[in-house]
Amino acid sequence: MNPLSQDSRKAAMRTNLRADTIVIEGGKPLSGTVDVRGAKNLVTKAMVAALLADTPSVLRDVPAIADVNVVTGMLGAYGVTVESSGDGTYELDPANVERAHFAQIDALAGESRIPILFCGPLLHRLGEALIPDLGGCRIGNRPINFHMDALRAFGAVVDKSYEGIRLTAPDGLRGADIELPYPSVGATEQVLLTSVLAEGTTELRNAAIEPEILDLIAVLQKMGAIITVEPNRVIFIEGVERLRGYEHRAMFDRNEAASWASAALATRGDIFVVGARQQDLTTYLNVFRKVGGEFEVREDGIRFWHPGGDLRPVEIETDVHPGFMTDWQQPLIVALTQAHGTSVVHETVYENRFGFTQALVQMGAQITIHPGGLASPTRRVARRPLEQSAVIEGPTPLTGADIHVPDLRGGFSHLIAALTASGTSRVSNLGLIGRGYEHFTDKLAGLGAEFRLED
Ligand code: EPU
């Protein structure tokens, strides 16, 4: 048995997932229904937005995942009262915002990327923000230069100290004219959360426009913000003097929905994902259909299934919205190991997001990683300096193996690979999957997966 790793132990404690390892008997199709709730990549940001208000906010459909617990802990450290009911409704009261003890936030920040988004709200509320070293998945360098440049443009002064980064705003924050070098999700959210209370107007060009960002804009509008999304990735924000609390039901988790869809395809199964919405998944659905998967859009969700016969290979490029999300490639690649022919996946968003394929190769997949990427006449996304490509030859039978979860999405693809493979697999470091997938072992059990959990 693998010892419980420190990362896994911390994350596991936060999701009530006690097990570190899942032992899976694979080779059985997954079949049944799963529910997806609020998107990890919206919920955590909407929680930070509550700091900007002067009255309480209510957020619904919050999933029980470790990242939510990290943000709850951070907000608590800053004096925000967070109360949750069993059904995923969170009430966040910012009436008593105060400075936090560094040790408190440092202990939490190391597990997530979200603390960086506290900068603007803390500068507005307290005139100072201290950001310790950030955590999150190790899928590339993940610099924060766009965030810091944007905050400086608003008038923040950034000092580096041995504790992390200290920001102050001696003259307050003023609207700014910002063009992002790349449509970064986090930097766009940073600008939104900072500009809404800044004095004057902000123009943000080359913004990310992921559905989770549009949902965050909806939250901010409910709070009293004035935000206009223009064509061509331009967002205008007219600063207001105060914001009130919001009441909001979070949009569904597109990444979780796509993960279950790929699991249905890889295991030759049939999964109805309750809560999935076609409009926010159209790019994924096109690829799912090209590979040979079938889906049916229903009023309350989308049913995904393998119709029998051979899957077809595809060439895809990950990209910012409305492209194929970088978080969708890992589960899909498991299905592509079962397609007849050569598939190519160009990862253009992160420079190191194919580490998880090593485990698939160990299980029998034929996957070659090309650092530096591959040119191709059919490519549409501009090549980036740090990109990589994966070439997947299929079909290859997978056989069970002992594998260790490297990151959130890669980890879920390991689960799918173990469920697809014949024989027994032991997947360890499960706590990392609990960072973003709610009750995933219960959901697997409901889909007929055969497994047992070990500490
Ligand atoms: N980048 C910079 N400088 C910056 C910020 C980003 O160079 O200051 C680069 C990154 O290194 C990367 C690219 O820009 O190469 C895109 O990064 P982005 O800022 O868009 O990503 P993020 O905000 O850190 C969010 C999600 C990720 C998701 C990406 C892309 C959250 C908490 N994380 O990350 O989700 O992959 O957007 O859609 O919202 C996940 O859920 O597993 C996950 C990693």
Side-chain angles (χ1 to χ4, degrees), residues 80-153:
V80 179
T81 314
V82 183
E83 277 176 17
S84 64
S85 63
D87 67 350
T89 300
Y90 275 51
E91 189 166 338
L92 307 108
D93 187 350
N96 300 309
V97 171
E98 59 187 8
R99 285 191 161 67
H101 293 291
F102 180 77
Q104 245 179 317
I105 48 173
D106 191 38
L108 290 159
E111 291 176 45
S112 166
R113 306 287 304 164
I114 310 298
I116 188 81
L117 295 178
F118 279 71
C119 291
L122 288 178
L123 283 171
H124 284 301
R125 293 299 304 260
L126 300 170
E128 180 188 60
L130 192 55
I131 306 300
D133 280 346
L134 297 173
C137 288
R138 294 183 189 97
I139 50 182
N141 259 343
R142 308 191 80 175
I144 53 168
N145 52 330
F146 304 165
H147 295 252
M148 292 305 129
D149 289 348
L151 287 160
R152 283 193 194 94

Side-chain angles (χ1 to χ4, degrees), residues 5-38:
S5 76
Q6 205 186 4
D7 272 2
S8 183
R9 187 188 301 273
K10 278 199 227 162
M13 283 188 325
R14 297 206 152 84
T15 48
N16 301 325
L17 175 70
R18 306 181 72 85
D20 175 71
T21 299
I22 184 167
V23 182
I24 294 177
E25 296 300 328
K28 279 181 54 182
L30 292 182
S31 175
T33 298
V34 290
D35 276 288
V36 289
R37 291 207 290 173

Side-chain angles (χ1 to χ4, degrees), residues 40-41 45 142-146 184-186 327 349-350 409:
K40 164 176 93 68
N41 292 348
K45 288 81 185 264
R142 308 191 80 175
I144 53 168
N145 52 330
F146 304 165
S184 150
V185 168
D327 304 280
V349 180
Y350 288 108
R409 307 291 166 201

